[in-house]
Amino acid sequence: MDIFINILLLIVGMILLVKGADFFVDGASDIAKKLGIPSLIIGLTLVSIGTSLPEASVSINAAITNSSDLSFGNVVGSNIFNSLFIIGICSIILPTLVSKDIMRFDIPILFVVMAVLALFSYIITPFSIDRWEAAILFVLFVSYIALAIFRALKQRRTDLALESEQPKEENKKERKTWLSIIFTVLGLAGVVGGGILTVDAAKELALEFGMSELLVGLTIVAVGTSLPELVTSLVASKKGENDIAVGNVIGSNIFNIIFILGFSGMINPLSLNHNSYIDLIFMVVAIILIFIFAFKKAKVNRIEGAILIIIYILYLTYTILRDTGVLVI
């Protein structure tokens, strides 16, 4: 009976994810246009923060219970999944455009954030993140949000200036603001709730079928907490909102490191596994690949998307073999 209940919950969770993402992207895009805020900024802030709430919940709860490996691993594992699998699958479905703003600002910011994380984790305080280091990460989060708001205001002034020089078009039928807000709130609730429900149900099903908790953690929990990002980016790509699709992934990666690890580390200093540096290297390599692919043509094509997915499968295989003792590196 428990198996059938969990299958039902899994289906309900997936439906909430898909429809929630649909509502959320629609509502967020409408609000962005009404306020004159670029879709890119919405993707980098509101969407990325909202879809990262499952990771935040897992990591912060892990920090409270002093489970440092889970807290750190969830963030790094989710970032690898975001960069390799989500960008990969979106690019296979439809070549993913990467805006100049993301190339000039957000990917370099992500590189800086990852460098700071590596400095804290393996050089200054080897294999740990102290409270003061976590506090610095949190300050970086506040600074990043402030920068995003500044960029939004600057872009808004530019857009208003361009609109004043162009002939006005006939007013098209637009969704009312209050309805857009309801769409956004309901969509966010569906995405986050669906992600949590899907992870919990899938975990229970895996245990019912005899999988180890370690294997469940490496696959279902790590991937499951990133399902909101996956579905939101897929829906955004389908709707032609590439700035939201890519901005969501890059913004989520930044948010995961500076907010989730920052907040978690302030609750309890994080002790890291001695193999975790390899995972961090994979995380950095994933972003380098995206940057290289998009450097000249400002997009990731289908072949490059397939390469990203293959690398993710190889990474997942390596991780499972490493944690089952087959590989010692």
Side-chain angles (χ1 to χ4, degrees), residues 70-87:
L70 178 58
S71 186
F72 185 83
N74 179 50
V75 165
V76 175
S78 293
N79 280 10
I80 292 171
F81 180 81
N82 290 347
S83 305
L84 294 177
F85 189 85
I86 294 179
I87 295 296

Side-chain angles (χ1 to χ4, degrees), residues 24 42-56 141 144-145 188 192 229 248 251-252 255-256 259:
F24 191 73
I42 292 293
L44 288 167
T45 55
L46 179 62
V47 177
S48 60
I49 290 173
T51 55
S52 289
L53 288 179
E55 287 97 329
F141 163 71
Y144 177 70
I145 294 298
L188 180 59
V192 175
E229 286 94 334
N248 173 43
S252 289
F255 176 79
N256 286 349
F259 175 76

Side-chain angles (χ1 to χ4, degrees), residues 19 35 41 62 65 78 82 121 158 163 186 225 227 229 245 259 263 292 314:
K19 294 310 297 179
L35 296 178
I41 303 302
T65 58
S78 293
N82 290 347
S121 303
T158 302
E163 286 176 8
L186 289 178
T225 53
L227 284 179
E229 286 94 334
F259 175 76
F263 197 87
I292 292 173
L314 291 174

Side-chain angles (χ1 to χ4, degrees), residues 25-26 45 52 78 85 87 103 109 117 146 163 237 244-245 250 269 271 278 281 293 301 315 323-324:
V25 171
D26 276 349
T45 55
S52 289
S78 293
F85 189 85
I87 295 296
M103 294 293 289
I109 287 172
L117 177 61
E163 286 176 8
S237 291
I244 285 184
I250 301 300
S271 298
I278 299 177
I281 290 172
F293 289 161
N301 61 35
Y315 165 74
D323 285 278
T324 53

